[in-house]
Amino acid sequence: MAERFGNLFSHDIGIDLGTANTLVYVRGRGIMLTEPSIVAVNEKTNRVVAVGRDAKPMLGKAPPHIRVVRPLSHGVISDFEVTEELLSYLINKAHNDRSKLFGPRVVVGVPTGVTNVESRAVRDAAAAAGAREVYIVEEAVAGAIGAKLPIQEPVGTMVLDIGGGTTDIAVLSLSGVVSSVSSQVAGDRFNDNISEFVRSEFQLAIGERTAEEAKLAIGAVLPLATPLERAIRGRDLATGLPREILLTDSHIREALGPSLDTLMEQLKQVIERTPPELLSDILERGVFIFGGGALLRGLPRLLEKMLGVPVHIVQDPLTAVVRGTGIITEDPKRFRDFFIDEDAVISET
Ligand code: ADP
Ligand code: MG
């Protein structure tokens, strides 16, 4: 039906509703949007004043009556209304033609651990934005699909999605999630670790954005052949005045150390709970990582050393999830076992 009456249907949409970034894929067009998962709301009028890219510069700089929210920052939806605004803004901006008789089929990837109530809110928001069908899937699963891993075969696959608010770990086999865990040791936590380190080591208060810039510019979890350094500015805790210090990759390593130990422990727990046959597959094939955190210098090699398992960064790790949601739009039935919304209806179109 979709083929014969193709011109009556909107293009299908895949969305990676990440804790830090939301990506939108439009079938037949490709990845159309990459926006920070941020919404700014005017508390006085209760109106959304900015979404995504436009809202990001307001973080930490808005007057008291403007609330700048990252509604998914901890992997749970802290604010339903704001999440709905974000979704409908993105679906509409991704250029879906409202003149079409049938709205798009929409596949949304959400962080591991969202509750039924939360996934229902996502479904309702997508439906309200005009979707004719909505499917919801864990981002770790969507990423594995995007990376073309053989998760429908009787082979164990372990994936690690290191995002901003959460790191999602999943073991998959035969179209099922054997086990999955969501850790809050992820990019945001690393930024906090850097701020805390600079505060206690240098008596300097720095903003979240400065910490993140330092992480991207000089962060490395293993020693580098050529050390990196960067001047960063903040407020001296004693004098209250601005001051500049020189931060090095080894400072960042020290700052992140405890968090990385925690993450390793959590990974080991998942491995310990994995049935032996699947574990043997994972040992042989390795662990696949994606998400922005996969780009932290030295992380794959550190994981290899600590876990004794090969670690591969999937191709284009920041878009694996959204590409996976795009693949699902092509034939949702094939992936029905992965949908987390209980009453996801598979229509016959
Ligand atoms: P989410 O899926 O949770 O929205 P992303 O996969 O988009 O998150 O990753 C965002 C996180 O990845 C941020 O915390 C960001 O700082 C981090 N990140 C992005 N690029 C790098 C990099 N090159 N090195 C270290 N961290 C990075
Ligand atoms: Mg993600």
Side-chain angles (χ1 to χ4, degrees), residues 37-41 55 59 67-73 78-79 82:
S37 309
I38 302 177
V39 179
V41 184
L59 262 184
R67 197 163 53 97
V68 187
V69 213
R70 287 181 54 195
L72 295 138
S73 59
S78 57
D79 190 326
V82 165

Side-chain angles (χ1 to χ4, degrees), residues 233-276:
R233 267 172 244 129
R235 180 159 36 86
D236 188 296
L237 290 174
T239 66
L241 297 174
R243 180 157 64 91
E244 186 176 288
I245 59 157
L246 204 60
L247 209 60
T248 67
D249 62 292
S250 97
H251 288 134
I252 306 265
R253 226 162 10 257
E254 198 178 330
L256 303 193
S259 285
L260 290 169
D261 289 345
T262 305
L263 184 61
M264 293 302 162
E265 276 313 309
Q266 290 164 331
L267 274 165
K268 280 184 194 157
Q269 282 168 20
V270 175
I271 289 175
E272 277 164 15
R273 287 204 307 263
T274 302

Side-chain angles (χ1 to χ4, degrees), residues 186-208:
D188 295 340
R189 176 70 59 83
F190 297 151
N191 298 347
D192 293 345
N193 293 151
I194 293 169
S195 300
E196 284 154 22
F197 178 88
V198 169
R199 177 177 274 269
S200 68
E201 265 332 272
F202 296 96
Q203 284 71 52
L204 195 73
I206 60 169
E208 194 184 327

Side-chain angles (χ1 to χ4, degrees), residues 3-4 6 22 36 40 57 76 85 183 241 246 301 315 317 335 344:
E3 280 73 45
R4 250 193 304 150
T22 298
V76 293
E85 294 281 358
S183 163
L241 297 174
L246 204 60
R301 267 196 303 132
Q315 206 184 346
F335 300 100

Side-chain angles (χ1 to χ4, degrees), residues 16 18-21 162-165 187-188 212 215-216 291-293 295-296 318:
D16 168 5
T19 65
N21 297 296
I162 311 174
D188 295 340
E212 172 153 51
K215 177 182 73 179
L216 301 189
L295 299 173
L296 186 54
L318 284 163

Side-chain angles (χ1 to χ4, degrees), residues 121-145:
V122 169
R123 154 182 298 281
D124 292 348
R132 75 172 195 284
E133 291 168 40
V134 187
Y135 303 99
I136 298 172
V137 63
E138 283 182 39
E139 282 157 5
V141 170
I145 293 168

